[in-house]
Amino acid sequence: MPILDIIVFVIYLLLVLGIGFYYYRKNKNTNDYYVGGRDMSSFHVGLSVVATDVGGGFSIGLGGLGFMMGLSGSWMLFTGLVGAWLSAVFLIPKVLNRARDLNFLTFPQLLKDTFGKNVALTAGIISFIGYLGFTSSQLLAGAKLAVGTFPDLSLEHALYIMGVVAVVYTVFGGIKAVIYTDTFQWSILMIGLIFVGIPIAYSYLGGYDAIVNSLPDSLFSLTNVSWVQLINWFITIVPIWFVGMTLYQRIYACKDEKTAKKAWYIAGLFEYPVMAFMGIILGLMARVGVEQGIFASEGFVNAANMDPEIGLPMLLKTIYLPD
């Protein structure tokens, strides 16, 4: 492994752990720990919401969609924008003030007050199972990205590292640690992709003509998706914005209704078009890389024998290798 990459990776992990321990010392009570003192800004909450929703799925899942479907895969995160804005209009006004008045700290408390303890318990169990799978997939996505960058690192070891770091800074620092590490990580991701990743990949692959001529026209179309797929995305993604336990936690953390709505509008815009097209375009570029044979030395001679979700990590690793 390149020593510089290892140093950067270790510093990054230490920084997020440092944020967690900083807020461990700053938190004074349960309100600070669970809902950030109910005084969080729209910018930080908005970035945290989109980071939580997209997370590792941006780097891996969206890249995989771009690899397989091309630009039409971006419609998946359009449903995220719709869900975010609908919940800002219809959900937040019904939840936030009530949560402040009754000092709710968690989603099940709202359900208990509304429907009774049996419903709250059932919802808690369902949420635990659901988020166990969601968190596992996010950790796996991050581990795949790490393995793509550090080939000598096994997927199992990468999962251990990602899991331990995420659990430690979350458990110790509470919601503020989560929100501020989300902001920190999201800022690095945006700056890196906008000013480094996409431009370098574009140049490495030969520019516009080389990219367009490497793939069929269907991958550059926004209509290369069926109505069944679009409906499936709407059904599976939009309702999450009304039942997601982590989203309620962030609603509670906002200082007022206006702040919460603004945070959700910010999150929606970052989902679509910003993150949708950045992730899809990078996945599309990874597909171009396969067709140009730049992954042949890794054993991937065509798209058919390659996991679409490993395309983006492979692309980022390849374009930064020294000649």
Side-chain angles (χ1 to χ4, degrees):
M1 298 184 199
I3 187 65
L4 181 59
D5 288 348
I6 296 173
I7 292 172
V8 170
F9 186 57
V10 171
I11 290 174
Y12 164 77
L13 294 179
L14 290 175
L15 282 173
V16 295
L17 285 171
I19 294 172
F21 282 108
Y22 173 79
Y23 283 104
Y24 168 71
R25 296 175 62 87
K26 293 281 287 185
N27 289 334
K28 297 180 176 62
N29 50 48
T30 54
N31 264 300
D32 282 343
Y33 184 83
Y34 285 104
V35 292
R38 304 186 194 274
D39 195 34
M40 303 297 295
S41 70
S42 58
F43 177 75
H44 288 298
V45 173
L47 289 189
S48 179
V49 167
V50 71
T52 300
D53 187 46
V54 181
F58 160 72
S59 54
I60 301 299
L62 274 180
L65 273 180
F67 191 97
M68 293 186 298
M69 297 180 60
L71 296 182
S72 292
S74 64
W75 289 115
M76 185 185 76
L77 280 193
F78 178 73
T79 61
L81 178 144
V82 173
W85 287 12
L86 285 176
S87 62
V89 173
F90 296 107
L91 179 68
I92 288 175
K94 294 182 178 296
V95 169
L96 183 58
N97 292 330
R98 186 176 175 190
R100 296 177 77 91
D101 292 341
L102 298 176
N103 199 35
F104 292 154
L105 300 175
T106 65
F107 180 38
Q109 286 179 305
L110 174 67
L111 294 177
K112 180 180 178 181
D113 183 73
T114 306
F115 303 107
K117 63 180 181 181
N118 290 334
V119 171
L121 177 61
T122 303
I125 294 172
I126 292 172
S127 294
F128 170 77
I129 295 172
Y131 275 97
L132 188 64
F134 175 78
T135 304
S136 299
S137 66
Q138 296 283 44
L139 291 174
L140 179 60
K144 282 186 177 182
L145 187 59
V147 170
T149 306
F150 304 109
D152 295 334
L153 183 66
S154 71
L155 184 62
E156 182 180 358
H157 289 152
L159 277 170
Y160 284 139
I161 294 170
M162 298 292 183
V164 168
V165 170
V167 169
V168 168
Y169 79 69
T170 301
V171 170
F172 276 87
I175 191 67
K176 281 188 177 180
V178 172
I179 288 175
Y180 286 121
T181 52
D182 282 346
T183 301
F184 167 68
Q185 294 176 88
W186 200 248
S187 298
I188 292 176
L189 179 66
M190 292 289 291
I191 292 170
L193 292 179
I194 292 174
F195 298 107
V196 181
I198 291 176
I200 291 180
Y202 180 84
S203 175
Y204 187 95
L205 295 172
Y208 179 81
D209 289 338
I211 291 172
V212 170
N213 292 332
S214 296
L215 301 175
D217 292 341
S218 60
L219 293 181
F220 298 97
S221 169
L222 287 171
T223 60
N224 185 34
V225 59
S226 69
W227 282 106
V228 173
Q229 181 64 75
L230 289 173
I231 293 171
N232 179 54
W233 282 337
F234 267 88
I235 291 174
T236 55
I237 294 175
V238 171
I240 292 173
W241 290 87
F242 291 84
V243 300
M245 182 171 57
T246 58
L247 297 173
Y248 280 83
Q249 207 77 26
R250 286 160 176 77
I251 292 174
Y252 297 167
C254 293
K255 64 174 65 175
D256 52 38
E257 183 180 318
K258 181 180 178 181
T259 299
K261 286 184 174 181
K262 186 177 178 181
W264 260 238
Y265 292 142
I266 290 171
L269 283 174
F270 269 109
E271 293 228 355
Y272 188 93
V274 179
M275 301 314 301
F277 282 100
M278 282 203 295
I280 292 299
I281 287 171
L282 279 167
L284 194 63
M285 287 181 173
R287 179 71 173 265
V288 172
V290 177
E291 300 301 329
Q292 292 183 353
I294 67 173
F295 306 141
S297 61
E298 303 285 347
F300 303 113
V301 295
N302 56 59
N305 76 335
M306 186 173 184
D307 178 358
E309 292 190 347
I310 206 67
L312 175 53
M314 290 293 299
L315 174 69
L316 295 178
K317 182 186 75 170
T318 302
I319 63 177
Y320 293 119
L321 285 175
D323 296 329

